[in-house]
Structure formats: structure tokens, C-alpha cells
Amino acid sequence: ATADFGRSAALYRDIAAVGAPYESDFIDGLGAVYVFQANRGGSNNWGQVQRLKVPGIDVPYLGWSVALWGDVLAVGAVGDDAGAPNSGAVYLFERNRGGADHWGLIKKVKPPTPQDDAYFGWSVALRGDRLVVGEPRRDDDFADQGRAFVFERNQDGADQWGFVTRIDPPTPQLQAWFG
């Protein structure tokens, strides 16, 4: 399978993050995210800073979505088995963790109520200390109606990125894929 480099992209000032959710070392569908910085390696050059994976484990479809704000990068992994098969997860990386310009893993955000094949992390948005995560295949009143969840950095303790609330579709319907 192809890497699908550019499936997702995010930009914040002089940093760009690009997802490649089908990139594989040996197994299809593992994924990676690439971080680039402006003027790295020369004027007007966007040089690679780091290739991100989750240390020690293979995360299916890492990089399906990305969001960047300040020194925090949110990375969706819709195939992660965080409590249920293909329930999905979001991995948070922070700049300068483990060295200058190194993006270190700081948190794995899981769906508050995991559900099979719900694809938590299909979309992510990040601003300041707030994270919004889409879960379009969640089944509640209807199959695949979808939902979004809001998390905040210091909810439930310092740097915990705890659950705050959910956002339901205004008009729930079959296969709306909200989120």
C-alpha cells in the first residue's frame, strides 16, 4: 500500500505536520507523521525535523488526522484498539520533550466510551489547551450517526487532557458521519 503522505496536514507558524497513515515498515496500515520546519537546511526550505511513530507499538493508521497549536501536535489513529477494535485514539506530542526540537509523546487520548469501528480520531482540532475529536462512525440512536468530544489539558489533573463534554449532531440520522 502507498503511504498516503499528505492525507492530513497542519500548519502553525514555522512548523508543518504531515500525516502518512498507510506508511509501513513491514505491515500495511501502520502510519507515521512527519514534522517539518521552515528554513531548516536553508532559506525557504522546509526541512524534516522528525518522523513520528508511537514508541514501542504499532498504531494502525497513525496520522489519519493532525492538528497543531503552539508546541502541541494532536495525531489521530482511527485503527487503534483503545478499548474496542478500531475504536480509535489520539496521540499528543509536544515539542522539546526529550531534547531541543524533539517531539515527544505526552498523552494517549481515548474515547470516553469506546465502541467497535467508531473511528475516534477521524478528525482533530486543537487550540490552546482544548482538543476536539471527531468520531463519525459512532452508533447511538442511528448507525454511523457520529459524535465529537471535547477534552482540555488540565481537566482531571495537570497535563491530563481529560474529557469535558460531547457534541452530538443537531439532527441525528442514519449514516450522517457527524464528526
Side-chain angles (χ1 to χ4, degrees):
T2 63
D4 207 10
F5 181 84
R7 161 74 179 74
S8 59
L11 178 68
Y12 185 84
R13 297 193 179 154
D14 66 340
I15 300 292
V18 180
Y22 292 98
E23 183 171 293
S24 175
D25 295 326
F26 301 105
I27 302 169
D28 288 341
L30 296 181
V33 174
Y34 290 83
V35 179
F36 299 89
Q37 187 169 5
N39 301 315
R40 189 177 186 99
S43 180
N44 295 321
N45 185 62
W46 284 81
Q48 183 178 324
V49 174
Q50 193 172 344
R51 175 181 176 261
L52 298 177
K53 300 282 280 181
V54 175
I57 61 171
D58 294 328
V59 178
Y61 308 114
L62 182 72
W64 189 266
S65 59
V66 293
L68 186 58
W69 185 265
D71 290 334
V72 178
L73 171 62
V75 178
V78 296
D80 194 292
D81 296 335
N86 294 317
S87 57
V90 173
Y91 290 84
L92 297 172
F93 295 86
E94 191 168 46
R95 187 180 190 177
N96 300 323
R97 288 282 178 129
D101 286 331
H102 182 268
W103 291 80
L105 180 65
I106 58 169
K107 182 75 176 171
K108 177 180 181 177
V109 178
K110 301 175 188 178
T113 52
Q115 191 178 86
D116 291 3
D117 302 315
Y119 296 161
F120 179 85
W122 182 275
S123 57
V124 291
L126 184 63
R127 183 169 174 105
D129 291 338
R130 188 167 288 143
L131 170 70
V132 179
V133 181
E135 188 183 49
R137 301 237 5 236
R138 172 162 286 279
D139 300 334
D140 284 321
D141 298 326
F142 300 97
D144 297 337
Q145 82 176 32
R147 176 178 282 165
F149 297 92
V150 179
F151 300 85
E152 286 186 3
R153 175 176 268 192
N154 295 315
Q155 182 73 21
D156 301 329
D159 288 327
Q160 287 304 303
W161 292 92
F163 171 71
V164 175
T165 191
R166 70 183 203 200
I167 302 170
D168 292 318
T171 308
Q173 57 185 317
L174 179 68
Q175 297 177 335
W177 282 57
F178 180 83

